[in-house]
Amino acid sequence: MTRGSQGRLWLGCICLALLGSACQRRLPAGEVQVLSSLRVRQYPQTQARGIVLLVHGLGTNGKVWNLPGLGGLAGELWRAGFLVYSMEDNLPYASLTQRARDLGNLLTQLSARHPGRPLFGIGHDLGGTALYLVAAHKLGPLDGIVGIGAPLSNVSGTQALAHLARVLGQLGSLPVDWAYLRHQRPEGFPKSVDFVKSLLSVGLPSRRLAVFFRQVSSTLSLAAIEDLTAGTGILADRSLVQALARQAPLPILALMAPADGLAPPWQCDPAVLGLRRDNIERVYFTRANGHENEYNHLDLLLHPAAEEDVFPVVIEWLEKI
Amino acid sequence: MRRLGLKHGLFLLCLLAVTPHCAHLLYLPQERASEILTTMTEEGWQLALHHFPATGSGPRRQFPVLICHGIMSNKYNWDLTDQLSLPAHLARQGFDTWAVELRASGHSQKPGPYNQLHWDYSLDDYVQYDLPALIDFVRGHSGRKQVHWVGHSMGGLVLFGYLQRVRQDTIRSAIAVASPSYLLDHNHNLNFAMDMARSLDGVFKPVPTGTVSKMGSFLAGSPLLADMRIIWNYDNISPSTARLAAANAVENISPRVVAQMVSPLAGGPILSADGQYNYTAGMERIQVPFFFVAGMLDQLAPPAVVMSAYQSVASTDKRLAVLGRANGYRRDYGHVDLCLGETAPGEVFPLLADWIIDHD
């Protein structure tokens, strides 16, 4: 093959790649509305096969589902034909109970707006926990829940999480975000261990981490951290799991990562906590399960490999349900 | 053509027969024990104890320590190199230390053409015959009524059984490193392997895990298959350690032990071979001081399972440590790298030694 024909081949490949990316449907910017006192972004869809509400977690905002310039689960769901709503409200909420009540009202309104369509909730971190609470206490209509690194119990948190609670407790109501917390070091942690990274992500590429700290990281709420550690009792022992078990068998997909320092599997896995049903599926994202990355809390949504490992699992499950 | 095929076949057979031995010779570990003593079980199995007498100028400790390997393994599980040796570490701390080997492992007696032993023993035999013989031997040798016990994986599980079914007053304190009290169906690859083991039940006698591991030891330095990460976290184990361990620390095993470990359905209890005794339910009888250690990335005994054992025991003096970055450790530990990981001598061994010193 001559150099000229090699060059033409390369040019052809590049053109094909560009054409492929141009043909991929781009997620529209969406429209922000206030529904049930919550700010919600709607990504319009004609002929939607189902409605999905995305609920972000503690210390993050709605951009966690669609990282500026880098994409995310919202786009994948929209391309798969779902009408996607994403919570944009990033104010520190008073408590999990309050957030669950707000979500229940929002889901009731969405159900009325799209009658006859299946309505799913997908929550990351405490966003997933709030959805579990909605289901457990029948606060709103749901046809299925996907909990991504979403704790069902606060049994035996990690030391990094306990340190986070201590720091927030000392600061009281002062606004704090993850970027601030990066400068904190818990007692006994070696210098090589960054405690915020160990909680959230060890392997996230630096560009994505920078986007996270700049655009996704939002104010942390002491009340929510108390829910996660000892305080309010909502997550104490197995009370939430037991409440879920008493309800009609709602399909659940629990996704988690063994290396997750903020919501480890022993807090997120329904089976470990005694809730085992045929319509509850659990997936652990780890290289030992054949996945590309050793996932941590944020990686489940923000790592580039999540597009191959995590998102298809969610979409396949929704399609199956 | 036929003669050529036969020749090639014979050559291949010879190659397969010598490969495990080649691996063993190529990756030859050094011995550190000052002596290897033996004891006999009630039903006639000779068991090996590798003795590491207390060294160093520090204080001599009161009670001896027994260190036990996990399933399909031997004393190299805890004593592979000068650095990766818990027995040597504890001996330097002033403990009279013994790396023990259960039946058919390492230097302990194995079934063969020149004895009457068979590959049909079960977990219950470890519990009811091997542990009493090993513990009583060390008690007699040291003149102490009690011993400390450190077990990795099944090495902790057999102590659960001993404490439940034999006696508790001989154990001063216990450490179970990555020891499950039940099995969790959280790993697709592990579930597949367990289904395979169930379907092959009775085909192999013994199950040739040691032979296969020796043959594949050349390849053990890097994770060619995701399944290999079930065993250890490759970020925390050097390729040379992985090859050395694969060539020396894996043993063939009785199919009954494998059946007992893989037979529980998802989340089900571990039962005796006859199905009459429930080791998982019996955990609440345990009252000795107990330290449970789990690795954040452990697939065989994940933290949730170890946590369950910790919560089940009746001991008033108990502790749980999950070794991972989120708890301030330098690595997220897998199953075997809790013993043989690069950071184990600096992070795990001192943690275990401190507990034993506090309870001596």
Side-chain angles (χ1 to χ4, degrees):
Chain A
M1 191 180 282
T2 63
R3 285 185 69 173
S5 60
Q6 261 185 351
R8 277 195 293 278
L9 189 66
W10 274 111
L11 195 67
C13 289
I14 291 166
C15 287
L16 272 176
L18 286 173
L19 193 67
S21 64
C23 286
Q24 194 183 36
R25 290 172 66 207
R26 276 181 178 274
L27 182 70
E31 167 199 351
V32 177
Q33 324 165 8
V34 177
L35 296 172
S36 299
S37 75
L38 294 170
R39 290 179 72 238
V40 178
R41 187 179 294 274
Q42 181 191 358
Y43 297 101
Q45 179 81 269
T46 49
Q47 301 284 319
R49 60 203 303 191
I51 317 299
V52 175
L53 173 64
L54 302 175
V55 187
H56 65 79
L58 176 73
T60 59
N61 57 36
K63 292 191 179 105
V64 79
W65 304 107
N66 183 30
L67 207 56
L70 297 165
L73 182 59
E76 298 296 328
L77 288 166
W78 182 80
R79 276 187 280 279
F82 291 94
L83 172 56
V84 179
Y85 287 90
S86 162
M87 276 190 50
E88 292 291 305
D89 187 2
N90 62 4
L91 293 172
Y93 48 89
S95 72
L96 262 174
T97 327
Q98 184 56 47
R99 170 73 28 134
R101 266 191 227 113
D102 293 344
L103 276 176
N105 293 336
L106 173 60
L107 287 161
T108 307
Q109 202 165 337
L110 291 180
S111 175
R113 199 186 253 204
H114 307 283
R117 295 275 168 81
L119 178 56
F120 303 103
I122 300 182
H124 178 236
D125 183 65
L126 287 187
T129 309
L131 287 168
Y132 288 138
L133 276 168
V134 170
H137 299 291
K138 287 193 168 173
L139 301 173
L142 271 171
D143 293 303
I145 296 177
V146 181
I148 305 175
L152 282 154
S153 161
N154 63 10
V155 61
S156 301
T158 59
Q159 281 176 32
L161 179 60
H163 181 71
L164 176 65
R166 269 198 301 276
V167 173
L168 290 176
Q170 283 161 11
L171 292 171
S173 56
L174 287 175
V176 183
D177 63 6
W178 294 110
Y180 169 83
L181 288 164
R182 289 195 83 183
H183 305 293
Q184 304 289 321
R185 184 183 303 286
E187 203 177 319
F189 268 51
K191 280 185 180 172
S192 56
V193 180
D194 175 335
F195 111 90
V196 167
K197 268 193 163 185
S198 67
L199 269 170
L200 298 178
S201 169
V202 173
L204 203 61
S206 52
R207 186 179 162 215
R208 284 183 178 240
L209 203 59
V211 174
F212 170 77
F213 282 122
R214 211 170 44 242
Q215 302 215 36
V216 184
S217 170
S218 81
T219 315
L220 286 149
S221 137
L222 177 62
I225 283 289
E226 281 177 346
D227 286 333
L228 262 183
T229 49
T232 61
I234 290 170
L235 292 176
D237 299 325
R238 296 177 182 188
S239 54
L240 175 53
V241 175
Q242 284 160 356
L244 265 177
R246 283 194 293 270
Q247 296 304 335
L250 184 74
I252 291 174
L253 173 64
L255 309 180
M256 54 219 132
D260 191 334
L262 193 56
W266 61 85
Q267 295 184 333
C268 300
D269 187 343
V272 164
L273 295 162
L275 182 58
R276 202 179 263 281
R277 275 198 315 242
D278 285 345
N279 65 352
I280 296 181
E281 291 185 31
R282 308 131 56 216
V283 184
Y284 280 57
F285 288 92
T286 168
R287 285 183 290 186
N289 251 339
H291 299 116
E292 282 292 307
N293 182 38
E294 198 56 70
Y295 286 88
N296 199 326
H297 196 64
L298 276 185
D299 305 345
L300 288 167
L301 292 180
L302 300 185
H303 198 277
E307 285 175 24
E308 299 290 323
D309 286 336
V310 186
F311 302 167
V313 173
V314 176
I315 290 166
E316 273 172 34
W317 186 82
L318 290 176
E319 285 171 347
K320 191 171 69 180
I321 299 293
Chain B
M1 188 67 191
R2 236 175 98 189
R3 273 207 341 237
L4 198 68
L6 191 66
K7 259 192 209 170
H8 280 130
L10 280 173
F11 176 72
L12 197 65
L13 271 179
C14 293
L15 196 67
L16 282 174
V18 299
T19 306
H21 303 286
C22 290
H24 182 65
L25 291 173
L26 202 62
Y27 307 116
L28 203 59
Q30 286 185 336
E31 297 298 333
R32 277 157 294 281
S34 69
E35 56 184 340
I36 303 174
L37 303 178
T38 57
T39 186
M40 193 74 88
T41 69
E42 209 179 294
E43 11 84 278
W45 287 74
Q46 200 175 59
L47 307 178
L49 300 97
H50 301 251
H51 191 199
F52 295 75
T55 59
S57 54
R60 291 290 180 268
R61 311 292 178 178
Q62 218 181 335
F63 297 96
V65 184
L66 274 75
I67 300 178
C68 186
H69 56 81
I71 191 168
M72 303 168 191
S73 193
N74 53 38
K75 70 111 187 176
Y76 293 119
N77 188 168
W78 279 114
D79 177 42
L80 193 65
T81 67
D82 289 343
Q83 290 292 313
L84 299 170
S85 174
L86 179 66
H89 181 89
L90 291 177
R92 286 195 295 274
Q93 302 286 321
F95 285 103
D96 185 34
T97 308
W98 302 79
V100 301
E101 289 179 316
L102 302 172
R103 63 183 63 194
S105 296
H107 287 71
S108 292
Q109 207 173 10
K110 294 174 184 175
Y114 306 111
N115 59 40
Q116 299 297 310
L117 307 174
H118 304 286
W119 291 101
D120 61 355
Y121 57 87
S122 70
L123 195 70
D124 314 321
D125 295 313
Y126 292 146
V127 168
Q128 290 182 310
Y129 299 109
D130 291 13
L131 262 65
L134 293 164
I135 291 169
D136 289 347
F137 176 84
V138 174
R139 286 168 70 218
H141 192 275
S142 63
R144 300 288 177 184
K145 286 185 176 170
Q146 291 185 309
V147 301
H148 299 285
W149 181 275
V150 183
H152 177 247
S153 190
M154 193 195 72
L157 179 56
V158 290
L159 185 73
F160 299 158
Y162 172 83
L163 293 169
Q164 292 171 29
R165 305 185 76 178
V166 184
R167 61 192 292 190
Q168 304 206 19
D169 59 341
T170 53
I171 301 299
R172 181 79 181 167
S173 80
I175 300 178
V177 179
S179 299
S181 60
Y182 73 96
L183 300 180
L184 190 63
D185 57 337
H186 67 300
N187 184 298
H188 304 309
N189 291 321
L190 187 60
N191 293 347
F192 178 74
M194 285 169 71
D195 286 344
M196 283 279 286
R198 280 187 204 107
S199 61
L200 291 174
D201 188 19
V203 174
F204 295 108
K205 211 171 183 180
V207 181
T209 41
T211 311
V212 171
S213 177
K214 282 177 177 60
M215 287 168 66
S217 58
F218 309 99
L219 307 169
S222 56
L224 299 173
L225 301 169
D227 311 48
M228 293 170 78
R229 291 187 182 276
I230 291 171
I231 303 162
W232 49 50
N233 174 10
Y234 269 92
D235 297 339
N236 194 22
I237 201 147
S238 74
S240 59
T241 301
R243 286 190 287 265
L244 199 61
N248 296 284
V250 188
E251 295 280 353
N252 294 342
I253 193 163
S254 157
R256 288 185 76 200
V257 177
V258 178
Q260 255 175 300
M261 295 302 289
V262 302
S263 61
L265 297 170
I270 297 173
L271 303 173
S272 60
D274 60 8
Q276 298 300 306
Y277 187 81
N278 185 331
Y279 287 104
T280 306
M283 292 296 287
E284 59 193 28
R285 291 190 201 166
I286 295 173
Q287 293 181 326
V288 304
F290 226 120
F291 183 18
F292 296 87
V293 181
M296 197 85 176
L297 286 186
D298 193 335
Q299 303 297 309
L300 294 167
V305 165
V306 177
M307 215 168 268
S308 164
Y310 165 78
Q311 287 162 345
S312 304
V313 295
S315 314
T316 49
D317 181 4
K318 59 181 176 178
R319 186 185 166 194
L320 169 74
V322 180
L323 275 52
R325 285 186 171 98
N327 280 332
Y329 294 89
R330 286 195 291 152
R331 301 286 165 85
D332 288 319
Y333 284 82
H335 192 67
V336 173
D337 42 304
L338 286 163
C339 315
L340 300 178
E342 283 176 346
T343 48
E347 289 191 325
V348 186
F349 296 175
L351 189 72
L352 307 186
D354 286 350
W355 164 271
I356 303 171
I357 290 168
D358 286 348
H359 291 82
D360 195 44

